[in-house]
Amino acid sequence: MSVAAVAAAPAGGGAAEWTGELIVAGRAEVAADVVTLTLRHPAGDELPAWEPGAHIDLLLGKGLTRQYSLCGDRGDRSAWHIAVLREPAGRGGSAYVHDQLAEGAAVGVRGPRNHFALRPAARYLFVAGGIGITPILPMTAAAEAAGADWTLLYGGRTRTSMAFLDRLAPYGGKVRPAPQDETGLLDLASYLAAPGPDTLVYCCGPEPLLAAVEEQCRGRGWPSGALVVERFKPRAADPAAASGSFELVLSRSGLTLTVQPELSVLQTVEAAGVQVLSSCQEGTCGTCETDVLEGEPDHRDSLLSEEERAAGETMMICVSRCRGPRLVLDL
């Protein structure tokens, strides 16, 4: 891969994002089975700015692309920092990072991209589980810098498995570490007991934690939009979801296609020779988000909020389909 950075257009024709090759300038183990990588431009160039919640794609070769949240100091444009948990039951991305990306190695990178943006609020309740601390970490720094009232409930299997406790220690009582072997499961019922004015809840972690937080917020009357989550893995598919064929119109390409039941919109578009950026193929990264011009999307992603789904202005074409007979996309 060339060292030079290029601007890659996202699926829906929005702003270009950075693509290039970075060097692993530093590597450290920050918890059991968790390593951090410091990524720098080989020529020392500044990297694009980013906001809390952003992630980048690592292009690991042979079609292996994985997303990792940026967790460093966003004011430092000389480097990007990520943290990666080794997952023995994973699909190979974390093993590659742990075993192949030694200090000095080059790796393809694309991004940054943000579908977990920190919205302004007077008060934040952060909930992190395990490696889910990575996007939350810069959020706490941003909330502190903005003078917002915030607390973080941070759970993990053991204290040694919980990354960045040292970086969080200066915040004192605003951070509530809760290693499961010491305190049991997170006390979400108390933490999310009642909605507060101008209060947002941000949560990232394993699916059981996300589901529990969603249940607490629903049951305790938190307003729609107050909870923002980021999933590392897709929601469970709805077995009752229809998967019939439908007409697909690509407005910019001038093509009219038929999406068959066994194919995704993305596969159909690519088979017609229209190339779009995509990555996870499971509706969790947002790379293939595309503007919808006509038709009603059948959203099956794990990213869009309920408000965004209802608006129907964009869709993740790797997993989502159409509720009607015809869909027109800005492709």
Side-chain angles (χ1 to χ4, degrees), residues 52-54 114-118 132 135-136 139 202-204 228-230 303:
N114 199 341
H115 287 274
F116 192 44
L118 185 68
I136 299 294
M139 290 185 177
Y202 277 79
C203 178
C204 186
V228 187
V229 304
E230 181 170 61
L303 277 170

Side-chain angles (χ1 to χ4, degrees), residues 139-210:
M139 290 185 177
T140 61
E144 183 74 6
D149 180 17
W150 66 271
T151 56
L152 164 63
L153 184 61
Y154 176 21
R157 290 178 289 104
T158 65
R159 194 171 293 272
T160 57
S161 73
M162 298 169 64
F164 305 122
L165 287 176
D166 56 336
R167 284 178 56 181
L168 292 166
Y171 294 128
K174 292 184 178 182
V175 179
R176 307 179 186 180
Q180 187 173 346
D181 63 340
E182 299 177 20
T183 64
L185 295 175
L186 297 180
D187 186 7
L188 297 176
S190 297
Y191 191 64
L192 303 171
D198 197 17
T199 300
L200 296 178
V201 180
Y202 277 79
C203 178
C204 186
E207 184 59 32
L209 173 62
L210 301 184

